[in-house]
Amino acid sequence: MAKILFVLTGADHWTLADGTRHPTGFWGEEVVAPYRVFTEAGHEVVVATPGGVLPTPDAASLAPESNGGQEGADAVAAALQSMDPLRSPIKLEQVDVAGYAAVFYPGGHGPMEDLATNEASGRVLTEALTSGKPLGIVCHGPAALLATRGADGSSPFAGYRLTAFTNEEEAQAGFADKAPWLLQDRLVELGTDFRAGEPWAPHVITDRNLHTGQNPDSSAPLAVEVARALG
């Protein structure tokens, strides 16, 4: 059995371009689906957040329209309520990557608010990448890669093929004209080789030990790829 670190946003809002706060957090499916894949494979999941704060699920991710109906929404909510690691997160600042076999970053708009500039998260990502351990990041989770940019402006993720929530998906979700910046644009500026798939369809990219998924529907297949890499 391997121990897998889930790094979740500690934010409960996203500051939009006009300065207003949009309520958000982590996206439910992007925690529930990978957690199920990993635990059913016999692995242990540990949750870390900035400061060890209790993570907040985005209310929209618990709505029927985001889960194929009320039954699906109820299942995600129930799964989150039964997930013990969510109720006892450790402090991200104290994480020792050497103690984990893999690292996984769920999304939601929350990472755009805090993980994109969080130094401890940038350290964890850099250490995970250079260690060769499986590193999975989905949807808006790759916003955290922006915190890996060094003083010279370079990032260890430059040149890696990856995917994330696209400009087209952000536009269709109604946030492209409200966002202070767009994730796809920033990842391209970081020097990554961004690969966009069809909007809202599962899309997973693997480059060396980096595994990325484009959107919520990519979270389960992404977790399967990470679990496969774990052996």
Side-chain angles (χ1 to χ4, degrees):
M1 181 178 72
K3 186 181 291 187
I4 301 174
L5 179 71
F6 271 34
V7 178
L8 268 63
T9 175
D12 62 4
H13 69 276
W14 177 31
T15 305
L16 302 179
D18 64 1
T20 59
R21 291 186 168 195
H22 170 68
T24 186
F26 68 84
W27 197 259
E29 180 183 358
E30 295 169 21
V31 171
V32 170
Y35 183 85
R36 181 179 297 120
V37 169
F38 295 137
T39 55
E40 288 183 352
H43 303 308
E44 176 188 356
V45 170
V46 175
V47 171
T49 63
V53 302
L54 290 176
T56 301
D58 189 317
S61 74
L62 307 181
E65 54 268 29
S66 299
N67 295 284
Q70 189 62 53
E71 184 177 350
D74 291 344
V76 169
L80 291 175
Q81 290 173 359
S82 67
M83 204 174 293
D84 290 337
L86 279 180
R87 293 192 291 273
S88 55
I90 64 174
K91 293 182 178 180
L92 181 58
E93 296 80 2
Q94 298 176 354
V95 163
D96 180 2
V97 173
Y100 301 92
V103 177
F104 194 89
Y105 274 67
H109 278 117
M112 305 277 279
E113 182 72 21
D114 63 350
L115 297 184
T117 57
N118 187 282
E119 291 184 7
S121 176
R123 172 185 61 81
V124 167
L125 285 167
T126 299
E127 291 179 358
L129 186 72
T130 57
S131 73
K133 299 178 182 189
L135 172 59
I137 319 176
V138 66
C139 202
H140 287 91
L145 301 188
L146 303 180
T148 66
R149 190 190 297 270
D152 63 354
S154 66
S155 166
F157 289 88
Y160 275 76
R161 296 188 310 277
L162 54 72
T163 191
F165 203 67
T166 65
N167 289 355
E168 185 174 2
E169 286 168 321
E170 203 73 83
Q172 292 178 10
F175 286 104
D177 60 348
K178 302 174 184 177
W181 45 270
L182 295 176
L183 180 55
Q184 179 178 343
D185 291 346
R186 286 293 176 91
L187 291 173
V188 170
E189 292 169 5
L190 195 68
T192 69
D193 182 2
F194 192 95
R195 306 289 181 94
E198 290 297 318
W200 311 108
H203 180 56
V204 173
I205 295 287
T206 293
D207 187 351
R208 288 156 279 185
N209 62 315
L210 177 64
H211 310 267
T212 52
Q214 181 171 315
N215 45 41
D217 280 356
S218 305
S219 55
L222 173 62
V224 170
E225 285 299 314
V226 173
R228 183 179 293 120
L230 276 171

